[in-house]
Amino acid sequence: MTEDSIELRDQVGVLRRRWRVVAATLLAALAVGLLVLLVQTPLYVASARVLLADTADGQAPSGEQIATEARAVTLGAPEVVDQLALPDSPEDLFDTVTVSPDPDGAAVITIAATRTDPGEAAAIANALAEQYIGAAGSRTSDRVAALDSDIEQLDGQIGSLRLRLDQARQAVDNAQDPTDARERVQDLRSVLRRAIAQRGQLIDARSQQIVNSRIQGQGAVILSPATVPESPVSPDPLQVLGLAAVVGLLVGVGLAYLRDYFDDVIRDEASLGDELAHYPVLATISHVRGRAGALGITRDSPGAPASEAYHGLEVSLRSIADGTAQASSRRAGAGIAVLVSSATAGEGKTSTATNLAVVAAGAGQRVVLVDAHLRRPALHVVFGQATGPGLVDVLAGGASASAALTDVGVEGLRVLPAGGVPANPADLMASAALVDLLALLRQEADVVVVDGASLLEVSDALDLARSCDLSLLVVRAGTARERDATDAVRRVARVGGAIDGLVLNDVSSAGSRRNRRSRPEPTYAGTRARGASAPDHRDSDHRDPDHGDLPRDPAPGATRPGATHDTQTSTTRPA
């Protein structure tokens, strides 16, 4: 499978994990869009179309003339405001009216009015169209009348000049010296010629005005009157909700990736960080409904996927133990002690320890299951045992190990319950008596499974990690955090212990498929022999001199020292 396909699957996986964030953001955006639709005032547009007449020579008006007439429509705004008794001023009405020529170049102008009242929008558009047609004819009549008045006045002046010219001519005939009289006649003739020329200009202007009136509205008709619109143009529900959906999806996807980037929850094997990735994942336990079902899945449903995973865990542990460099040095009959712990409570360490013990016993091994969670013991409840002597009593010297071990109805499996709740559980876990007890149990069983406390909550399990041969860290997928698991591993390393493998618990089916695709199965044989130092229990005064311990694998970057205990304190010495 190519890296590109893996990368694409990872990206899709982020959206699948964070689909609730995307859905919530999308719903929020749609809710905002609906709120905008409810709050925003709807606007209605009504349009009237006016057909302009041809010019006097039978040609259609030019584009420039049509644009001029489109601008002239708004001149009737004051009359429309008065006619419809609008609360707007003419200037405000201009802002709600648009007049545009036909986009195809036809001799048509469109008058569109935008109002909150659909009826008012239609009334304004029709009134402006009618006002434009009527005003054009009225303007032409007024201009022609003014020219007629000027021509009439000029006709009176011309008549008076002609009368005076006749009188001047008679004066020339009767005068003894006609020189002055002739000059006066010439002056009157000049004035008369100018008056006649001016009259001709006025007559031409009157004729041109009448001709031009045809393209200034005279003969224009309303091609289609405005009707009352049934639906608003703004806000547009599809547009608003569509935009809200797009923005919601973009923001939701961005938030999903942002949250996933800062989220350190371990969901599957592929989500392990760089430091935890150094440790092998020994088993991936699928989700089992109910706590009771998870505790007894291997006993009640041996063919379930989770049961198969526990069987795989038991095989992996045997592979680790058998493949170590010092395995051959162990004396026959000496078993191994396996600590099962977790970073925090509620990650499934008790169910893991219980099922591991059951499958190991089912494989024909002698198994002892120890409840070392002295603050909140649970194994006696799991197996339905009455409260009796247990680990606390053995360590305090009040009971023997053989007397405290109880059969639980599973062949090959005995349980050492916690017993009473001590006042000093940390001191008991750090005592030499615990080291002696584990040595004794190794002689009595092939596998000693220790259900310890959480590593980050108390220090009890840290001493167990040094005393046991193998340590497993149970991580609940979907709730465990990378920083907690990493801190747990580091705390174990600081006290000289080591985590030998991880158990991913409560993994969804999708997470299990991702694990199989994204990471190959680790090789367990020889895992613990990578230059590790092992605790040598034969040098301890409190252990069986014939018992040899398994070699320990150090934490990444550290060599694991051995551990021994005296009767008072726990000390660490180099191997």
Side-chain angles (χ1 to χ4, degrees):
M1 186 175 294
T2 63
E3 294 183 359
D4 292 340
S5 61
I6 295 176
E7 180 70 18
L8 178 61
R9 187 175 61 247
D10 293 340
Q11 301 303 321
V12 175
V14 172
L15 297 180
R16 291 183 61 183
R17 290 193 300 271
R18 304 295 181 182
W19 68 268
R20 291 182 178 85
V21 175
V22 179
T25 307
L26 175 60
L27 292 177
L30 291 176
V32 173
L34 289 175
L35 183 62
V36 170
L37 292 176
L38 293 175
V39 173
Q40 188 173 354
T41 303
L43 296 177
Y44 298 85
V45 174
S47 301
R49 303 182 70 205
V50 176
L51 176 63
L52 301 178
D54 295 338
T55 60
D57 56 1
Q59 299 296 321
S62 64
E64 183 178 352
Q65 291 171 329
I66 294 175
T68 301
E69 293 308 308
R71 290 191 294 269
V73 171
T74 57
L75 298 177
E79 289 78 5
V80 172
V81 169
D82 296 337
Q83 175 185 344
L84 300 179
L86 299 176
D88 307 63
S89 64
E91 291 77 11
D92 294 335
L93 185 61
F94 292 159
D95 297 334
T96 62
V97 174
T98 58
V99 183
S100 57
D102 186 82
D104 297 329
V108 176
I109 57 175
T110 301
I111 304 172
T114 304
R115 309 291 287 186
T116 58
D117 184 351
E120 188 175 82
I124 291 176
N126 288 328
L128 283 172
E130 295 170 356
Q131 183 67 28
Y132 163 72
I133 295 174
S138 177
R139 290 194 303 270
T140 300
S141 300
D142 292 342
R143 292 167 185 166
V144 172
L147 290 173
D148 288 339
S149 177
D150 292 341
I151 292 173
E152 183 178 356
Q153 292 179 4
L154 196 57
D155 285 342
Q157 294 178 7
I158 291 174
S160 176
L161 287 172
R162 285 176 175 171
L163 179 60
R164 292 170 60 189
L165 180 59
D166 291 339
Q167 291 175 353
R169 287 174 178 169
Q170 292 178 1
V172 171
D173 295 337
N174 298 328
Q176 294 179 355
D177 186 3
T179 302
D180 293 335
R182 288 191 184 95
E183 291 179 357
R184 181 171 179 78
V185 170
Q186 292 299 327
D187 292 339
L188 289 174
R189 285 177 178 174
S190 298
V191 174
L192 180 60
R193 282 195 295 269
R194 287 195 299 270
I196 293 173
Q198 185 178 1
R199 183 179 184 278
Q201 294 175 354
L202 292 176
I203 291 175
D204 292 339
R206 181 179 183 279
S207 300
Q208 187 63 39
Q209 183 63 44
I210 294 174
V211 170
N212 291 340
S213 66
R214 296 196 61 191
I215 63 170
Q216 294 177 344
Q218 189 72 11
V221 296
I222 297 178
L223 185 63
S224 59
T227 58
V228 178
E230 297 181 355
S231 59
V233 296
S234 175
D236 184 357
L238 292 179
Q239 183 179 11
V240 172
L241 294 180
L243 179 61
V246 171
V247 173
L249 283 175
L250 292 177
V251 174
V253 170
L255 288 177
Y257 279 101
L258 185 64
R259 184 172 180 181
D260 194 79
Y261 178 79
F262 289 104
D263 186 11
D264 66 342
V265 172
I266 299 174
R267 303 184 184 281
D268 48 43
E269 189 173 347
S271 63
L272 292 174
D274 294 339
E275 188 166 347
L276 293 179
H278 290 85
Y279 297 90
V281 176
L282 303 182
T284 299
I285 313 301
S286 60
H287 172 73
V288 179
R289 292 187 178 182
R291 174 177 171 82
L295 291 172
I297 187 68
T298 53
R299 181 180 55 190
D300 301 333
S301 302
S307 298
E308 295 296 333
Y310 283 118
H311 282 284
L313 174 61
E314 189 270 336
V315 172
S316 298
L317 290 176
R318 278 194 282 119
S319 299
I320 293 176
D322 295 340
T324 56
Q326 298 181 7
S328 59
S329 67
R330 298 205 316 265
R331 289 175 176 258
I336 60 172
V338 180
L339 171 65
V340 180
S341 185
S342 61
T344 59
E347 298 196 44
K349 58 181 180 55
T350 298
S351 62
T352 300
T354 301
N355 287 287
L356 175 61
V358 171
V359 297
Q365 300 190 73
R366 296 172 301 159
V367 182
V368 171
L369 177 58
V370 181
D371 191 347
H373 195 350
L374 303 183
R375 303 172 192 268
R376 288 196 298 271
L379 289 182
H380 68 285
V381 177
V382 173
F383 291 99
Q385 295 177 312
T387 304
L391 177 62
V392 174
D393 305 282
V394 174
L395 295 180
S400 64
S402 59
L405 288 172
T406 59
D407 293 325
V408 292
V410 178
E411 184 177 357
L413 173 62
R414 291 180 294 173
V415 174
L416 179 60
V421 179
N424 55 345
D427 293 340
L428 290 178
M429 291 294 100
S431 66
L434 177 64
V435 178
D436 293 338
L437 177 60
L438 289 177
L440 176 62
L441 294 178
R442 287 187 181 94
Q443 297 298 325
E444 296 290 332
D446 299 315
V447 179
V448 179
V449 180
V450 182
D451 180 19
S454 302
L455 291 167
L456 297 184
E457 294 182 345
V458 293
S459 62
D460 303 4
L462 296 177
D463 291 288
L464 286 171
R466 294 192 301 175
S467 302
C468 292
D469 303 301
L470 299 176
S471 297
L472 301 181
L473 183 68
V474 179
V475 178
R476 181 178 291 276
T479 58
R481 295 192 173 276
E482 177 81 19
R483 60 176 177 270
D484 292 336
T486 303
D487 288 345
V489 170
R490 291 173 179 173
R491 289 190 66 179
V492 171
R494 281 197 294 268
V495 299
I499 297 298
D500 298 278
L502 306 179
V503 176
L504 287 181
N505 185 37
D506 201 22
V507 179
S508 64
S509 58
S512 299
R513 290 193 298 269
R514 286 193 297 270
N515 291 341
R516 292 193 296 267
R517 290 194 300 258
S518 61
R519 182 172 175 175
E521 290 294 330
T523 302
Y524 303 111
T527 302
R528 301 181 58 79
R530 294 171 298 181
S533 299
D536 189 355
H537 299 299
R538 290 172 296 179
D539 294 338
S540 173
D541 296 335
H542 304 286
R543 293 202 177 200
D544 187 341
D546 293 332
H547 175 68
D549 226 4
L550 286 176
R552 303 301 303 267
D553 186 32
T559 301
R560 181 172 183 172
T564 185
H565 300 270
D566 57 25
T567 56
Q568 299 296 328
T569 60
S570 172
T571 60
T572 303
R573 61 176 178 79

